[in-house]
Amino acid sequence: MILLVEDEDAVAEGIGALLALENWEVLRASGVREALELSDREPRMAIIDVSLGDGDGRDLGAALRKTYPELPLLFISGHITRSELGEIASSGKTAFLQKPFGSSSLLESINQLLET
């Protein structure tokens, strides 16, 4: 099960459809509060947009890591670079994809995070 946190419907639908084709169950949240509520379902990993309408995806990632220290986090953004992720980028299983990205890049990032 993958927790997908993305506030742009078109992006979330595209990622969700790709993950469904790969036989992943997707928990979709459009913001920080909703993601924290869904996280009690113990996702295997989280894909988090850095810029969310109700908060910062980096803060969400840090909060999720407090509960699930080994949770792989894949951050996505069209507004910042990996170097701007800050401290969360170097903690645990973390990856970053710059938007726009292709389906192969997304799947490769997921597979790499889940292998480690």
Side-chain angles (χ1 to χ4, degrees):
M1 180 179 340
I2 294 179
L3 175 60
L4 171 61
V5 189
E6 170 61 68
D7 59 355
E8 293 181 45
D9 285 338
V11 175
E13 288 172 13
I15 292 172
L18 176 64
L19 295 175
L21 286 173
E22 296 293 318
N23 297 314
W24 282 102
E25 180 181 349
V26 178
L27 296 173
R28 184 174 162 198
S30 60
V32 173
R33 279 174 254 142
E34 187 179 6
L36 290 171
E37 290 171 9
L38 290 173
S39 70
D40 67 351
R41 298 205 31 213
E42 301 183 18
R44 183 148 178 227
M45 75 169 293
I47 300 172
I48 304 170
D49 185 9
V50 174
S51 301
L52 297 165
D54 68 344
D56 190 302
R58 293 168 287 198
D59 295 336
L60 171 60
L64 291 171
R65 281 272 172 79
K66 285 181 182 175
T67 305
Y68 306 107
E70 300 298 316
L71 183 69
L73 302 175
L74 174 57
F75 290 97
I76 58 176
S77 180
H79 305 287
I80 69 164
T81 63
R82 181 178 177 81
S83 63
E84 294 173 284
L85 272 182
E87 195 174 303
I88 192 80
S90 59
S91 67
K93 300 174 188 174
T94 305
F96 176 78
L97 279 178
Q98 183 77 44
K99 290 179 187 176
F101 50 81
S103 57
S104 60
S105 296
L106 177 62
L107 294 175
E108 183 178 317
S109 294
I110 291 169
N111 290 331
Q112 286 176 351
L113 281 169
L114 293 176
E115 284 176 4
T116 57

